[in-house]
Amino acid sequence: MKTIDGFDFKGKKAIVRVDFNVPLNEQKEITDATRIDAAVPTIKKILNDGAAVILMSHLGRPKKNPDEKYSLKPVVPYLSKVLNVPVQFADDCMGESTKNMTAALKNGEVLLLENLRFYAEEEGKPRGLPDDVSDEEKSAAKKAMKEQQKSFTQQLASYADVYVNDAFGTAHRAHASTALIADLFDEQHKMFGYVMANEVGNLEKVLKKPTHPFLFIVGGAKVSDKIAALEHLLDKVDAIIIGGGMQYTFIKAMGGTIGSSLCETEALDVAKATIEKAEKAGVKLHFADDAIIADNFANDANSKTCDNRHLPDGWMGLDIGPKAIHDFAEVIENAKTILWNGPMGVFEMSNFEKGTKAVAEAIARATKKGAYSLIGGGDSVAAIGKYGFKDDVSYVSTGGGAMIEYLEGKILPGVKAIES
Ligand code: AMP
């Protein structure tokens, strides 16, 4: 992988795509700065070489320009503090005045551009088309957008001599700043930052050279989001624990009764096929024997423990039960490579967090005993943080969707743009 390590940035201007898509509270305070902290070593290396740094990112999903709610400005004080240099802010990522700011930027200085996604050009999707628009009009709008996206990308590229991609969280998107821009720099002047190198390096380690037994733990709400990764991993892993809401599509496919638990009817056949494929591949699928069920999707709902394959009508499984916690902990502690994506239950509600917490704890114990553990996906990362095990696992990924697509065996556009 071509990283910033081999490049001397002295006297250059570098434009760095970072992932500063951080959660902000009502007061516009950052509630989890993991993604900013992760980018600091890359920014510091470039600054220490004696270069100027232009940072670009998206935040949330703005639908207009500007969209105050999604401004990156609240990031500036924290970023200045962790970098220990005053960070300048351009309140528009385009325009003459921003162009002038980038031109005036001196070595050792940092400029953060306003949210790239204020412009539809970043994602390249036409915005605000009326519902009743004809197919011709739609395709004309798409064509026009392609042209606009070209000039948007060109302006971003014109700010700098070198392009660095350090945004793993958006590496699965072929957007202007994550992929298209790379074409405007020659081989020597585009490269990966440390976040990208670490993320890809750790995933490669797990996928290419795992120590066995290799266990994949998957949970969360939607089967359809994770089934492709699950299938791709069947020829790599020894066992899979399936928890969370997504387990109920599998349990129903196996003939269980699931009450009003989450279920993706359209994924039932796929779930059934996956179970058969796992059997053929010799991969042990672990399902919870018991569940904590509730009569309502609320923390204060009535709840009880129940056989996970026979849920009564009107009740839904919101967490794995005590026997499953015990069984899963044993499987986890015997594993030598552990990949975790997705909570075991509705861990945001205190009455249904035990399973997720216990899995995090067991992973920490396994890691202490020498297992290699990689945690990814927004909710598992939040859980690991919430229960205080961030430093007790081997690697915490900053990317959810990007990690899943990597696990599906896809070449991420952000990686391809620099490597090919
Ligand atoms: P995902 O983004 O697919 O990883 O899903 C994460 C979400 O799944 C979290 O917000 C959890 O609250 C939710 N979740 C986990 N288990 C269940 C469950 N048994 N029923 C409903 N939602 C669940």
Coordinates of all heavy atoms in Angstrom, one line a residue, residues 352-406:
F352 N -31.9 -4.3 27.9 CA -31.6 -5.3 26.8 C -30.2 -5.2 26.3 O -29.9 -5.4 25.2 CB -32.6 -5.1 25.6 CG -34.1 -5.1 26.1 CD1 -34.8 -3.9 26.1 CD2 -34.6 -6.3 26.5 CE1 -36.1 -3.9 26.6 CE2 -35.9 -6.3 26.9 CZ -36.7 -5.1 27.0
E353 N -29.3 -4.7 27.2 CA -27.9 -4.5 26.8 C -27.0 -5.7 27.3 O -25.8 -5.7 27.0 CB -27.4 -3.2 27.4 CG -27.3 -3.2 28.9 CD -26.5 -2.0 29.5 OE1 -26.0 -1.2 28.7 OE2 -26.5 -1.8 30.7
K354 N -27.5 -6.5 28.2 CA -26.6 -7.5 28.8 C -25.9 -8.4 27.8 O -24.7 -8.7 28.0 CB -27.5 -8.5 29.7 CG -27.8 -7.8 31.1 CD -28.1 -8.9 32.1 CE -28.7 -8.3 33.4 NZ -30.1 -7.9 33.2
G355 N -26.6 -8.9 26.8 CA -25.9 -9.7 25.8 C -24.8 -9.1 25.1 O -23.7 -9.6 25.0
T356 N -25.0 -7.8 24.7 CA -23.9 -7.1 23.9 C -22.8 -6.8 24.9 O -21.6 -7.0 24.5 CB -24.5 -5.8 23.4 OG1 -25.6 -6.1 22.6 CG2 -23.5 -5.0 22.6
K357 N -23.1 -6.4 26.1 CA -22.0 -6.2 27.1 C -21.2 -7.4 27.4 O -20.0 -7.4 27.4 CB -22.7 -5.6 28.4 CG -21.7 -5.1 29.4 CD -22.4 -4.5 30.5 CE -21.4 -4.0 31.5 NZ -22.0 -3.6 32.8
A358 N -21.9 -8.5 27.5 CA -21.2 -9.8 27.8 C -20.3 -10.2 26.7 O -19.2 -10.7 26.9 CB -22.2 -10.9 28.1
V359 N -20.8 -10.0 25.4 CA -19.9 -10.3 24.3 C -18.7 -9.4 24.3 O -17.6 -9.9 24.0 CB -20.8 -10.2 23.0 CG1 -19.9 -10.1 21.8 CG2 -21.7 -11.4 22.8
A360 N -18.9 -8.2 24.5 CA -17.7 -7.2 24.6 C -16.7 -7.7 25.6 O -15.5 -7.7 25.4 CB -18.2 -5.8 24.9
E361 N -17.3 -8.1 26.8 CA -16.4 -8.6 27.9 C -15.7 -9.8 27.5 O -14.5 -9.9 27.8 CB -17.3 -8.9 29.1 CG -17.2 -7.9 30.2 CD -18.3 -8.1 31.2 OE1 -19.1 -9.1 31.2 OE2 -18.4 -7.3 32.1
A362 N -16.4 -10.8 26.9 CA -15.7 -12.0 26.5 C -14.7 -11.8 25.5 O -13.6 -12.4 25.5 CB -16.8 -13.0 26.0
I363 N -14.9 -10.8 24.5 CA -13.9 -10.5 23.5 C -12.6 -10.0 24.2 O -11.5 -10.3 23.9 CB -14.4 -9.6 22.4 CG1 -15.6 -10.3 21.7 CG2 -13.3 -9.1 21.5 CD1 -16.3 -9.4 20.7
A364 N -12.9 -9.1 25.2 CA -11.7 -8.5 25.9 C -10.9 -9.6 26.6 O -9.7 -9.7 26.6 CB -12.2 -7.5 26.9
R365 N -11.7 -10.6 27.2 CA -11.0 -11.7 27.9 C -10.2 -12.6 26.9 O -9.1 -12.9 27.2 CB -12.0 -12.6 28.7 CG -12.5 -12.0 30.0 CD -13.1 -13.1 30.9 NE -14.2 -13.7 30.2 CZ -15.5 -13.3 30.3 NH1 -15.8 -12.2 30.9 NH2 -16.5 -13.9 29.7
A366 N -10.8 -12.9 25.8 CA -10.1 -13.7 24.8 C -8.9 -13.0 24.3 O -7.8 -13.6 24.0 CB -11.1 -13.9 23.6
T367 N -9.0 -11.6 24.1 CA -7.8 -10.9 23.6 C -6.7 -10.9 24.6 O -5.5 -11.1 24.3 CB -8.2 -9.4 23.4 OG1 -9.5 -9.4 22.6 CG2 -7.2 -8.6 22.6
K368 N -7.1 -10.9 25.9 CA -6.0 -10.9 27.0 C -5.3 -12.3 26.9 O -4.1 -12.4 27.2 CB -6.8 -10.8 28.3 CG -5.8 -10.2 29.4 CD -6.6 -9.8 30.6 CE -5.7 -9.2 31.6 NZ -6.4 -8.9 32.8
K369 N -6.1 -13.3 26.5 CA -5.5 -14.7 26.4 C -4.7 -14.9 25.1 O -4.3 -16.0 24.8 CB -6.6 -15.7 26.5 CG -7.1 -15.9 27.9 CD -7.9 -17.2 28.1 CE -9.1 -17.3 27.3 NZ -9.9 -18.5 27.5
G370 N -4.6 -13.8 24.3 CA -3.8 -13.9 23.1 C -4.6 -13.9 21.7 O -4.0 -14.0 20.7
A371 N -5.9 -13.8 21.8 CA -6.6 -13.8 20.5 C -6.5 -12.4 19.8 O -6.2 -11.4 20.5 CB -8.1 -14.1 20.8
Y372 N -6.7 -12.4 18.5 CA -6.6 -11.1 17.8 C -8.1 -10.7 17.6 O -8.9 -11.5 17.0 CB -5.9 -11.3 16.5 CG -5.9 -10.0 15.7 CD1 -5.0 -9.0 15.9 CD2 -6.9 -9.8 14.7 CE1 -5.0 -7.8 15.3 CE2 -6.9 -8.6 14.1 CZ -6.0 -7.6 14.3 OH -6.1 -6.4 13.7
S373 N -8.5 -9.5 18.0 CA -9.9 -9.1 17.9 C -10.1 -7.8 17.1 O -9.4 -6.8 17.4 CB -10.5 -9.0 19.3 OG -9.7 -8.2 20.1
L374 N -10.9 -7.9 16.1 CA -11.2 -6.7 15.3 C -12.7 -6.3 15.4 O -13.5 -7.2 15.2 CB -10.8 -7.0 13.9 CG -10.6 -5.8 12.9 CD1 -9.8 -6.2 11.7 CD2 -11.9 -5.2 12.5
I375 N -13.0 -5.1 15.9 CA -14.4 -4.7 16.1 C -14.7 -3.6 15.1 O -13.9 -2.6 14.9 CB -14.6 -4.1 17.5 CG1 -13.8 -4.8 18.6 CG2 -16.0 -3.9 17.8 CD1 -14.0 -6.2 18.8
G376 N -15.8 -3.7 14.4 CA -16.2 -2.7 13.4 C -17.7 -2.5 13.4 O -18.5 -3.3 13.9
G377 N -18.1 -1.4 12.7 CA -19.6 -1.1 12.6 C -19.9 -0.2 13.7 O -19.6 -0.4 14.9
G378 N -20.6 0.9 13.4 CA -20.9 1.9 14.3 C -21.4 1.5 15.7 O -20.9 1.9 16.7
D379 N -22.3 0.5 15.7 CA -22.9 0.1 17.0 C -22.0 -0.7 17.8 O -22.0 -0.6 19.0 CB -24.3 -0.5 16.7 CG -25.3 0.5 16.3 OD1 -25.6 1.4 17.1 OD2 -25.8 0.3 15.2
S380 N -21.3 -1.6 17.2 CA -20.4 -2.4 18.0 C -19.3 -1.6 18.6 O -18.8 -1.8 19.7 CB -19.7 -3.6 17.2 OG -20.5 -3.9 16.2
V381 N -18.8 -0.6 17.8 CA -17.8 0.3 18.2 C -18.3 1.1 19.4 O -17.6 1.3 20.4 CB -17.3 1.2 17.1 CG1 -16.3 2.3 17.6 CG2 -16.6 0.3 16.0
A382 N -19.6 1.6 19.3 CA -20.2 2.4 20.3 C -20.3 1.5 21.6 O -20.0 2.0 22.7 CB -21.6 2.9 19.9
A383 N -20.6 0.2 21.4 CA -20.8 -0.7 22.6 C -19.5 -0.9 23.3 O -19.4 -0.8 24.5 CB -21.4 -2.0 22.1
I384 N -18.4 -1.2 22.5 CA -17.1 -1.4 23.1 C -16.7 -0.2 23.9 O -16.1 -0.3 24.9 CB -16.1 -1.7 21.9 CG1 -16.1 -3.2 21.6 CG2 -14.7 -1.3 22.2 CD1 -15.4 -4.1 22.5
G385 N -17.0 1.0 23.3 CA -16.7 2.3 24.0 C -17.5 2.4 25.3 O -17.0 2.7 26.4
K386 N -18.8 2.2 25.2 CA -19.7 2.4 26.3 C -19.4 1.5 27.5 O -19.5 1.9 28.6 CB -21.2 2.0 25.8 CG -22.3 2.2 26.8 CD -23.6 1.9 26.1 CE -24.7 1.9 27.1 NZ -26.0 1.5 26.6
Y387 N -18.9 0.3 27.2 CA -18.6 -0.7 28.3 C -17.1 -0.6 28.7 O -16.7 -1.4 29.5 CB -19.0 -2.1 27.9 CG -20.5 -2.1 27.5 CD1 -20.9 -2.7 26.3 CD2 -21.5 -1.6 28.4 CE1 -22.3 -2.6 25.9 CE2 -22.8 -1.5 28.0 CZ -23.2 -2.1 26.8 OH -24.5 -2.0 26.4
G388 N -16.4 0.3 28.1 CA -15.0 0.6 28.5 C -14.0 -0.5 28.1 O -13.0 -0.7 28.8
F389 N -14.2 -1.1 26.9 CA -13.2 -2.2 26.5 C -12.4 -1.8 25.3 O -11.8 -2.6 24.6 CB -14.0 -3.5 26.2 CG -14.6 -4.1 27.4 CD1 -16.0 -4.2 27.5 CD2 -13.9 -4.5 28.5 CE1 -16.6 -4.8 28.6 CE2 -14.5 -5.1 29.6 CZ -15.8 -5.2 29.7
K390 N -12.5 -0.5 24.9 CA -11.8 0.0 23.7 C -10.3 -0.4 23.7 O -9.8 -0.8 22.7 CB -11.9 1.5 23.6 CG -12.4 2.0 22.3 CD -12.5 3.5 22.3 CE -13.3 3.9 21.2 NZ -13.8 5.3 21.2
D391 N -9.7 -0.3 24.9 CA -8.2 -0.6 24.9 C -8.0 -2.1 25.2 O -6.8 -2.5 25.3 CB -7.6 0.2 26.0 CG -7.7 1.7 25.7 OD1 -7.7 2.0 24.5 OD2 -7.8 2.5 26.6
D392 N -9.0 -2.9 25.3 CA -8.8 -4.3 25.6 C -9.1 -5.2 24.4 O -9.1 -6.4 24.6 CB -9.8 -4.7 26.7 CG -9.5 -3.9 28.0 OD1 -8.3 -3.7 28.3 OD2 -10.5 -3.4 28.6
V393 N -9.2 -4.6 23.2 CA -9.4 -5.4 22.0 C -8.2 -5.0 21.1 O -7.6 -4.0 21.3 CB -10.8 -5.1 21.3 CG1 -11.9 -5.6 22.2 CG2 -10.9 -3.7 21.0
S394 N -8.0 -5.8 20.0 CA -6.8 -5.6 19.2 C -7.0 -4.4 18.3 O -6.1 -3.6 18.1 CB -6.5 -6.8 18.4 OG -6.5 -8.0 19.2
Y395 N -8.1 -4.2 17.7 CA -8.3 -3.1 16.7 C -9.8 -2.7 16.6 O -10.6 -3.6 16.5 CB -7.8 -3.5 15.3 CG -7.7 -2.3 14.4 CD1 -6.7 -1.3 14.6 CD2 -8.6 -2.1 13.4 CE1 -6.7 -0.2 13.7 CE2 -8.6 -1.0 12.6 CZ -7.6 -0.1 12.7 OH -7.6 1.0 11.9
V396 N -10.0 -1.4 16.7 CA -11.3 -0.9 16.5 C -11.4 -0.1 15.2 O -10.7 0.8 15.0 CB -11.7 0.0 17.7 CG1 -13.1 0.6 17.5 CG2 -11.6 -0.7 19.0
S397 N -12.2 -0.6 14.3 CA -12.3 0.0 13.0 C -13.2 1.3 13.0 O -14.1 1.4 13.8 CB -13.0 -1.0 12.0 OG -13.2 -0.4 10.8
T398 N -12.8 2.3 12.2 CA -13.6 3.5 12.2 C -14.7 3.4 11.1 O -15.5 4.4 11.0 CB -12.7 4.7 11.8 OG1 -12.0 4.5 10.6 CG2 -11.7 5.0 12.9
G399 N -14.7 2.4 10.3 CA -15.7 2.3 9.3 C -16.7 1.2 9.4 O -16.3 0.0 9.7
G400 N -17.9 1.5 9.3 CA -19.0 0.4 9.4 C -19.2 -0.2 8.0 O -18.9 -1.3 7.7
G401 N -19.9 0.6 7.1 CA -20.2 0.2 5.8 C -19.0 -0.2 5.0 O -19.0 -1.2 4.3
A402 N -17.9 0.5 5.1 CA -16.7 0.2 4.4 C -16.1 -1.1 4.8 O -15.7 -1.9 4.0 CB -15.6 1.3 4.6
M403 N -16.2 -1.4 6.1 CA -15.7 -2.7 6.6 C -16.5 -3.8 6.1 O -16.0 -4.8 5.6 CB -15.7 -2.7 8.1 CG -15.3 -4.0 8.7 SD -15.3 -3.9 10.5 CE -15.4 -5.6 11.0
I404 N -17.8 -3.6 6.1 CA -18.7 -4.7 5.6 C -18.4 -5.0 4.1 O -18.3 -6.1 3.7 CB -20.2 -4.3 5.9 CG1 -20.6 -4.5 7.3 CG2 -21.2 -5.1 5.0 CD1 -20.6 -5.9 7.8
E405 N -18.3 -3.9 3.4 CA -18.0 -4.1 1.9 C -16.7 -4.8 1.7 O -16.5 -5.6 0.8 CB -18.1 -2.8 1.1 CG -19.6 -2.4 1.1 CD -19.9 -1.4 0.0 OE1 -19.2 -1.3 -1.0 OE2 -21.0 -0.8 0.0
Y406 N -15.7 -4.5 2.6 CA -14.4 -5.1 2.5 C -14.6 -6.6 2.8 O -14.0 -7.5 2.1 CB -13.4 -4.5 3.5 CG -12.0 -4.6 3.0 CD1 -11.4 -3.6 2.4 CD2 -11.3 -5.8 3.3 CE1 -10.1 -3.7 1.9 CE2 -10.0 -5.9 2.8 CZ -9.4 -4.8 2.2 OH -8.1 -5.0 1.7

